[in-house]
Amino acid sequence: MTRDQLEHAIRAACDIAQDDTVYVFGSQAILGQFPDAPANLRQSVEVDVSPRTRVDRVDAIDASIGELSRFHETHGFYVHGLPIGAATLPARWETRVVRVSGPGTRGNTGLCLEGHDLAASKLAAFRDKDRDFVRVLLHERLITAGTLIERIATLAIQEKERSRRVEWVTITAKALGV
């Protein structure tokens, strides 16, 4: 995915949701903060979004521009509408979002998760692909282990799971030499 495609996704999702702002919280949110993110962070063809005020329109987004839609066939990527509550996010994430707005979004706004918040959310899920994604963020020095650990500390997950994630970050950062 490219930054232009992200902006297209924001524009299309806002049009369908009848909302001028969407939250972008899947892996491709990284393009908000890092428009030229390394290719191995831009492999997904899916953009996860939630309308800021019209959450009732997430199904309309999926039906119109979701997976296997004409939009997907035409553009090679799709937009997955989800309520923002579907993600486990660090405390105060809303205060750190990265705004994507301009001609490519036709004045609409995508509020993209900041890199550390995105990484913490990925580690909350703790799937292999999410750990791989965070490993690249650390290796490329797009995020720091210390700030990531601070964000993990604010996730609404059980203490045992939080400790497991902190340990993973500590071991991974040491192995990467970051």
Side-chain angles (χ1 to χ4, degrees):
M1 180 155 299
T2 66
R3 173 65 176 254
D4 287 344
Q5 289 172 318
L6 173 66
E7 291 177 5
H8 186 180
I10 292 166
R11 178 176 72 238
C14 285
D15 287 350
I16 292 162
Q18 301 168 348
D19 197 336
D20 64 358
T21 305
V22 292
Y23 294 110
V24 182
F25 57 98
S27 63
Q28 298 314 287
I30 199 65
L31 292 167
Q33 187 173 1
F34 300 104
D36 298 316
N40 48 356
L41 294 176
R42 298 183 287 110
Q43 294 177 2
S44 179
V45 296
E46 173 185 17
V47 180
D48 294 330
V49 303
S50 179
R52 184 177 61 181
T53 59
R54 296 295 310 271
V55 180
D56 60 307
R57 302 286 296 164
V58 295
D59 290 337
I61 291 170
D62 273 346
S64 299
I65 58 178
E67 189 172 20
L68 305 177
S69 66
R70 180 165 302 207
F71 181 94
H72 185 190
E73 292 174 14
T74 302
H75 301 290
F77 68 94
Y78 65 95
V79 183
H80 188 193
L82 290 166
I84 191 71
T88 302
L89 300 168
R92 300 183 38 82
W93 64 269
E94 311 96 328
T95 65
R96 296 181 293 268
V97 293
V98 178
R99 297 177 66 84
V100 174
S101 186
T105 64
R106 261 195 257 124
N108 293 303
T109 302
L111 300 175
C112 299
L113 287 183
E114 181 272 339
H116 293 91
D117 292 330
L118 175 59
S121 178
K122 290 289 187 186
L123 290 180
F126 215 62
R127 299 172 296 194
D128 288 343
K129 70 177 187 172
D130 296 320
R131 290 191 306 273
D132 291 344
F133 187 85
V134 174
R135 189 177 291 109
V136 173
L137 288 172
L138 288 164
H139 179 261
E140 296 291 333
R141 292 180 163 76
L142 299 179
I143 62 171
T144 64
T147 301
L148 177 54
I149 289 169
E150 290 172 5
R151 302 287 167 80
I152 291 169
T154 71
L155 289 172
I157 58 177
Q158 296 204 3
E159 186 55 41
K160 176 182 170 186
E161 295 303 315
R162 185 180 347 285
S163 296
R164 182 176 177 212
R165 281 134 180 92
V166 167
E167 180 181 20
W168 182 88
V169 170
T170 303
I171 290 169
T172 302
K174 184 176 179 180
L176 293 172
V178 296

